[in-house]
Amino acid sequence: MAVQPEVEKKGFMSSVLGLVDDTFTRVTAGISPGEVRRMLRGEAPGRPNPRLKPHTEAFLLHIKPTYYHESVTRFTHTFRLGLLSTYLFLFETITGLILMVWYTPSPNQAYVDMIRLLSNVPFGQFMRDLHRIGAELMVAIVTLHMVRTYLTGSYKAPRQFTWFTGVILLVLTLFLSFSGYLLPWDQLAYWAVTIGTSMAEAVPPAIVGETVNLLARGAPDIGANGLLRFYLLHVLFLPLILFLFFFVHYYKVVHFGISLPANEEEVGQDTANRIPADRRVYFLPDVLMDETVFIIGFSAIMVLAVAFFFSAPLESIANPQSTPLHTVAPWYFYWLQGMLKIADKMIAGVILPGILLVLLIAIPYLDRNPSRRAKDRRVAIISGVIAGVVMIILSWMGTPQYAVSAAPAVEVVQELMPEEGAGAIREAGYAHVPVGVFDSRVPVEEQTTDEEWRAIVEEFSASIAHFDGIDPEFNNAWGTITVTQDQPSLRRILWEIHWVDSEGVEENFKRFFFLHEDSLYWEQYGLKDFRWLTETQEGE
Amino acid sequence: MKRPWYNFIYVRSPIAKILLGGAALLLTLALFGFTFIIEEPRMEAQTNSWTGRSIEKGAEIFANNCTSCHGVDGKGLPGVAPALHSHYFFTQRLTDLGYAGSLHDYVAGTVAAGRPSKAISQWAQIMPTWGVNYGGPLRNDQVQDVTAFVMNWEQDALQQTAEEDPWQPFQDAKTTDISGTMALPPSAPADGEARAPQDLFTVMGCQGCHNLEQDQTADNRGAIAPNLGNLDTEAGNMVAGQDALTYVINSITHPNDFIVEGYAAGIMPQNFPDRMSAEEIANLAQWLLDQAAAN
Ligand code: HEM
Ligand code: HEM
């Protein structure tokens, strides 16, 4: 035995310790426990610097720079938005892979699988919510990262190509969230994606548009083929391309070094890679520590949001035969929806976004100003701000609040009890919807004692009065809500609205919905409702 | 170097960083724990919720497709279609049929595939095929929804007393003795106040056989019973000596006195005089004529 003479020579304890030391150093790819202790105490590295070893030994670290310029490690320089984008992409990949376990990309199964995921899989809803919030945050963070590199002028020479790959990454991110959006196969998903892909149809000439549309949908309408294609795009094709472009992007970032704050170098120079010895901050341990703590903190916030403030929506199963009133795109496409309201599909859906994309890519070549300092870049910064404001205005126009299109009576009902989604009544729930007839012309206090229901009836009356005031076709309007018990634990809510049009003809609108005692409806954002927690316990 | 005003947000001390990271990690773990603890009740609430939503959807489908034959409350229409909201249906029906599966499957199967028409049926209507797999209009999930809705009558139906059970025994199935549970169609209300004709038209099952919107012409004949859309012009010419109103009243009280050409005697129920007061029948007849005239 080879061990025995060793132990005899050094004694048992110290040979075990030596072994532990050795293993540790191998796992950390070159950092000994002693070095870790020195790191924690904040002491300088020994010479030759053992903390550089992992960068050459370890695969995962070989891509990271060994040291940074002190100025670019400050939080307010990059806001770590690039790091966050990267993290969120990995995060989405992991949660997405977990969701794949329960998901079947077929119209017959997808929606059923979503319900099963929510009601039968431990942590199922949690995972779905995490994936969803991660997706929305990723779009937001990647955009902000772009804004930051724009504002610091980091797209200027020599980083034009970095910017170009960045734009590609942005487009891929948007396509990823768009393709993922269809997967739950509910009305929300189906119609948002139907409208989205129909823009492809508007690509001129017609034959190209139709072909693109057909390729994406797999048939004239989205069906089994379309879902499968979107699924494959979402879980395989787009992530692979994104990975590829990420590595190109990040290689360029490391290659040129992160651009210094503009006022720390001469105009027209790029000194990012010439870091004086006294301004170096080593990745190990300082930057690693910052990044780790930052990501743990960010994850904690995401988990907190998912636990209390965010739940991915799930509406009725996709129904190609019925378009719900006010179909909405996800918020990051509101601007597109807003443009579609004021221009036709070809202009707003194809030409303008196309121009926008070309402009984005061309920014480094259009902006010939060599200076990255804000005070020399008034034109660039002002046009950036204007572009941002225009986006926000367009987004606002994309929300249903802007340009109400349906008849007043329909809108009144839609407001309180939309065809799809929650609305005040469903959120109040069965217990707060008492059986009876409630009339908008009678003071609410005389009709009900339930606080929540009273607020709803009041809103009903107010909303009728509101439309009565603004719509000349809608006069002397009044309405009733009739709640009947149709089955045990099932109530029918009948809406009747009567009005007189401008020619004095009496009109009315009727619509009914059902509400079951156990059904839970939720909004995507906002404090979660944990009523069921107490109710099930009382029931037992 | 000059420090910027927001200098305070930079955390420099490694101890502070480790503490912050540790706190965030603990928070994450605590939230995981919280989620874990409430998982059981959450999954239960979600399960119930989706059943509830399915019943809501089913209720809407039933209201839009089934009430014309099975009645608004599912209690059937005499002579038109059987009751589903019935004590007998939930307790005895499968035994009498000798069906081995569950009632849920029986309902889902019947709804999806329909019932082939029998040569002679006691029902004026046939149960249509609904499921898309059998050529009907409803998707599979919708068949499940409407089934969930029908099954949700159970609790209520089990509380029906023998007199309340609206069941009409099937002539082609063995019937366990349910004496006293024979169809008791709604009769005239005790307080004597006349019911509205448009309600009677549904409650009495007229609309299950008659179409009030369409005209009865040589090339547009009602399949089961004459369309009533042009009753106002036709009724006066049917029987010599009877004006329109008399004819309609008589058709309701004594359907077999005069059989409209091409239809069989004995299909239209003959017990309407027992179930409606004379006043109600007269109102109903007048209303039918008015509706036809308004067409
Ligand atoms: C999935 C999306 C993206 C990922 C994962 C990503 C990742 C990164 C990372 C990690 C950095 C290092 C420095 C930092 O954190 O700022 C970086 C820098 C950079 N990114 Fe991105 N990025 C993405 C999208 C974009 C987009 C949309 C643009 C612009 C259109 C862009 C343009 C740049 C530029 C110009 C730099 C260099 C910044 C400098 O040197 O100061 N990136 N990116
Ligand atoms: C390789 C990486 C990914 C995989 C394997 C993956 C997988 C999946 C799967 C299986 C679903 C269906 C489950 C569901 O709808 O809840 C889904 C949904 C979704 N994914 Fe991904 N995903 C990945 C990356 C991404 C990224 C990077 C984004 C966004 C930037 C994204 C955005 C979405 C969205 C918005 C949904 C719909 C979420 C919902 O309604 O619950 N995914 N993904």
Side-chain angles (χ1 to χ4, degrees):
Chain A
M1 290 229 140
V3 184
Q4 216 175 352
E6 273 275 321
V7 175
E8 271 165 17
K9 203 164 81 212
K10 289 197 201 155
F12 181 71
M13 261 332 263
S14 59
S15 12
V16 169
L17 284 179
L19 210 66
V20 171
D21 245 45
D22 220 41
T23 317
F24 187 93
T25 314
R26 256 177 241 182
V27 170
T28 56
I31 308 267
S32 66
E35 194 60 35
V36 172
R37 240 171 282 134
R38 272 192 292 281
M39 282 183 185
L40 289 179
R41 280 196 228 107
E43 291 169 13
R47 270 176 202 277
N49 187 342
R51 297 175 193 177
L52 301 185
K53 224 172 161 218
H55 288 276
T56 46
E57 300 253 311
F59 171 72
L60 290 179
L61 286 192
H62 86 280
I63 186 177
K64 278 283 194 185
T66 46
Y67 53 81
Y68 294 67
H69 193 290
E70 196 258 331
S71 303
V72 308
T73 61
R74 282 185 224 137
F75 178 70
T76 45
H77 184 54
T78 63
F79 297 93
R80 304 210 197 295
L81 291 167
L83 173 75
L84 259 191
S85 308
T86 317
Y87 171 66
L88 281 171
F89 178 59
L90 294 178
F91 182 87
E92 288 299 277
T93 310
I94 293 166
T95 50
L97 279 170
I98 295 175
L99 288 175
M100 279 172 81
V101 174
W102 289 277
Y103 183 83
T104 318
S106 127
N108 288 331
Q109 203 54 40
Y111 182 76
V112 182
D113 280 352
M114 295 313 297
I115 293 183
R116 210 160 45 111
L117 178 77
L118 295 185
S119 51
N120 254 333
V121 178
F123 285 103
Q125 187 171 24
F126 185 71
M127 274 299 152
R128 174 163 189 246
D129 290 351
L130 278 180
H131 192 73
R132 179 84 177 220
I133 203 176
E136 297 192 1
L137 283 173
M138 184 167 162
V139 174
I141 299 283
V142 170
T143 311
L144 287 176
H145 169 63
M146 176 178 80
V147 170
R148 133 34 211 161
T149 51
Y150 181 81
L151 291 181
T152 57
S154 306
Y155 53 82
K156 301 196 173 186
R159 297 185 180 77
Q160 300 98 323
F161 187 66
T162 320
W163 173 269
F164 170 76
T165 50
V167 176
I168 303 287
L169 285 172
L170 176 70
V171 172
L172 287 172
T173 307
L174 288 176
F175 272 121
L176 258 174
S177 19
F178 182 68
S179 58
Y181 208 72
L182 179 68
L183 301 185
W185 200 250
D186 63 350
Q187 283 285 71
L188 185 67
Y190 185 88
W191 288 101
V193 173
T194 298
I195 294 171
T197 47
S198 75
M199 290 186 315
E201 212 173 7
V203 176
I207 179 76
V208 175
E210 277 161 25
T211 312
V212 172
N213 194 34
L214 203 60
L215 278 175
R217 292 183 179 180
D221 290 314
I222 299 176
N225 270 320
L227 179 55
L228 183 60
R229 283 172 197 203
F230 270 70
Y231 177 70
L232 289 176
L233 279 178
H234 186 76
V235 307
L236 215 63
F237 186 72
L238 293 173
L240 277 179
I241 309 264
L242 204 150
F243 257 113
L244 185 70
F245 273 91
F246 166 72
F247 282 118
V248 176
H249 187 69
Y250 194 64
Y251 181 79
K252 283 291 157 192
V253 172
V254 177
H255 182 72
F256 296 122
I258 296 173
S259 56
L260 296 181
N263 53 12
E264 293 189 22
E265 59 188 5
E266 296 300 317
V267 169
Q269 281 196 351
D270 187 70
T271 47
N273 271 339
R274 266 172 276 137
I275 309 174
D278 63 333
R279 304 292 311 274
R280 287 178 192 176
V281 177
Y282 283 82
F283 178 74
L284 284 171
D286 297 314
V287 178
L288 178 67
M289 169 90 88
D290 285 358
E291 295 190 344
T292 316
V293 169
F294 182 63
I295 281 178
I296 295 179
F298 190 80
S299 309
I301 295 174
M302 277 210 287
V303 173
L304 184 73
V306 160
F308 295 109
F309 305 104
F310 180 94
S311 13
L314 189 63
E315 300 188 341
S316 321
I317 188 167
N319 181 359
Q321 262 88 49
S322 104
T323 324
L325 199 60
H326 304 325
T327 45
V328 281
W331 56 261
Y332 39 84
F333 287 126
Y334 276 176
W335 58 277
L336 249 182
Q337 221 177 9
M339 289 209 300
L340 284 171
K341 279 188 189 168
I342 47 177
D344 77 3
K345 248 188 215 170
M346 184 169 359
I347 295 174
V350 181
I351 298 180
L352 287 180
I355 293 179
L356 201 66
L357 187 63
V358 173
L359 265 183
L360 261 186
I361 294 178
I363 283 179
Y365 311 101
L366 294 178
D367 181 359
R368 316 292 314 180
N369 177 357
S371 172
R372 296 199 293 113
R373 297 182 184 177
K375 65 173 183 347
D376 302 335
R377 302 178 61 223
R378 297 234 165 83
V379 179
I381 288 178
I382 290 174
S383 25
V385 170
I386 291 177
V389 171
V390 168
M391 278 310 229
I392 290 172
I393 294 177
L394 282 175
S395 295
W396 172 76
M397 287 169 53
T399 60
Q401 275 88 325
Y402 173 78
V404 168
S405 45
V410 178
E411 287 295 340
V412 170
V413 177
Q414 175 77 9
E415 229 172 82
L416 289 161
M417 201 156 193
E419 286 173 23
E420 287 297 337
I425 291 208
R426 295 197 184 94
E427 272 197 87
Y430 182 88
H432 295 288
V433 182
V435 172
V437 182
F438 304 90
D439 195 317
S440 69
R441 295 165 299 182
V442 180
V444 205
E445 302 73 44
E446 294 167 21
Q447 306 189 65
T448 176
T449 49
D450 186 307
E451 286 290 327
E452 289 192 40
W453 181 244
R454 183 182 297 177
I456 287 169
V457 178
E458 257 160 17
E459 209 181 311
F460 176 63
S461 316
S463 148
I464 292 183
H466 165 73
F467 282 110
D468 199 334
I470 60 170
D471 190 329
E473 289 293 325
F474 192 72
N475 309 307
N476 299 338
W478 58 277
T480 55
I481 311 177
T482 311
V483 183
T484 48
Q485 188 82 39
D486 263 33
Q487 271 190 343
S489 51
L490 185 73
R491 287 181 185 157
R492 180 201 295 251
I493 299 157
L494 171 70
W495 304 81
E496 278 181 84
I497 298 176
H498 299 259
W499 70 96
V500 180
D501 74 8
S502 57
E503 275 147 32
V505 183
E506 283 187 28
E507 308 256 10
N508 68 70
F509 171 80
K510 275 189 204 178
R511 173 98 219 230
F512 60 80
F513 290 101
F514 292 89
L515 187 60
H516 190 274
E517 187 172 12
D518 292 335
S519 45
L520 308 169
Y521 286 88
W522 62 82
E523 295 286 356
Q524 184 170 359
Y525 310 102
L527 188 63
K528 278 193 187 182
D529 184 358
F530 288 101
R531 239 177 323 188
W532 45 267
L533 206 58
T534 45
E535 271 163 17
T536 35
Q537 274 159 8
E538 276 165 18
E540 273 157 12
Chain B
M1 253 187 62
K2 197 174 132 269
R3 296 204 164 155
W5 60 268
Y6 46 77
N7 190 52
F8 68 94
I9 68 168
Y10 300 139
V11 179
R12 291 229 164 69
S13 141
I15 302 291
K17 286 180 193 168
I18 292 177
L19 285 181
L20 270 176
L25 196 63
L26 277 182
L27 175 66
T28 314
L29 288 179
L31 290 166
F32 263 111
F34 170 73
T35 312
F36 177 71
I37 292 171
I38 64 167
E39 261 322 70
E40 278 294 325
R42 182 196 66 75
M43 287 195 287
E44 196 187 320
Q46 280 283 344
T47 309
N48 296 341
S49 161
W50 291 102
T51 317
R53 286 208 206 180
S54 171
I55 294 173
E56 290 169 9
K57 299 252 147 55
E60 211 161 321
I61 296 170
F62 193 89
N64 293 333
N65 298 290
C66 318
T67 47
S68 58
C69 295
H70 290 286
V72 248
D73 51 2
K75 289 191 175 161
L77 293 175
V80 178
L84 307 170
H85 181 186
S86 137
H87 187 271
Y88 175 84
F89 182 68
F90 279 96
T91 50
Q92 275 299 325
R93 176 70 176 142
L94 291 190
T95 324
D96 287 356
L97 272 177
Y99 185 83
S102 67
L103 188 61
H104 176 278
D105 296 348
Y106 176 71
V107 174
T110 309
V111 174
R115 260 311 146 63
S117 151
K118 296 142 197 157
I120 306 167
S121 169
Q122 86 202 77
W123 310 112
Q125 294 278 19
I126 54 166
M127 169 71 183
T129 296
W130 293 103
V132 69
N133 292 1
Y134 301 87
L138 298 184
R139 291 187 315 265
N140 294 342
D141 58 282
Q142 291 176 310
V143 170
Q144 290 304 327
D145 290 343
V146 75
T147 304
F149 171 75
V150 169
M151 295 306 290
N152 194 40
W153 265 311
E154 178 160 13
Q155 192 193 337
D156 206 37
L158 292 182
Q159 284 161 8
Q160 286 169 349
T161 61
E163 288 78 49
E164 285 164 359
D165 190 346
W167 187 249
Q168 314 163 59
F170 270 76
Q171 284 161 9
D172 52 356
K174 175 183 104 201
T175 300
T176 316
D177 179 29
I178 45 164
S179 42
T181 70
M182 275 295 294
L184 280 186
S187 49
D191 57 16
E193 196 182 312
R195 289 163 289 179
Q198 58 268 42
D199 293 343
L200 290 170
F201 192 72
T202 359
V203 174
M204 294 291 154
C206 322
Q207 75 163 28
C209 296
H210 291 287
N211 186 325
L212 197 50
E213 262 90 58
Q214 295 195 10
D215 290 352
Q216 174 82 356
T217 56
D219 45 357
N220 184 29
R221 296 168 51 83
I224 297 145
N227 295 332
L228 301 181
N230 52 348
L231 196 60
D232 55 322
T233 53
E234 300 301 310
N237 316 327
M238 301 299 279
V239 178
Q242 288 186 3
D243 66 2
L245 189 60
T246 322
Y247 169 75
V248 174
I249 293 179
N250 209 40
S251 297
I252 300 173
T253 51
H254 301 94
N256 287 349
D257 280 5
F258 174 82
I259 303 299
V260 181
E261 201 193 312
Y263 296 93
I267 290 192
M268 173 145 163
Q270 280 116 61
N271 58 356
F272 286 128
D274 308 337
R275 293 157 55 192
M276 290 183 273
S277 65
E279 186 196 354
E280 283 175 335
I281 292 183
N283 289 348
L284 177 58
Q286 189 55 53
W287 179 78
L288 284 175
L289 290 169
D290 293 347
Q291 287 292 307
N295 266 350

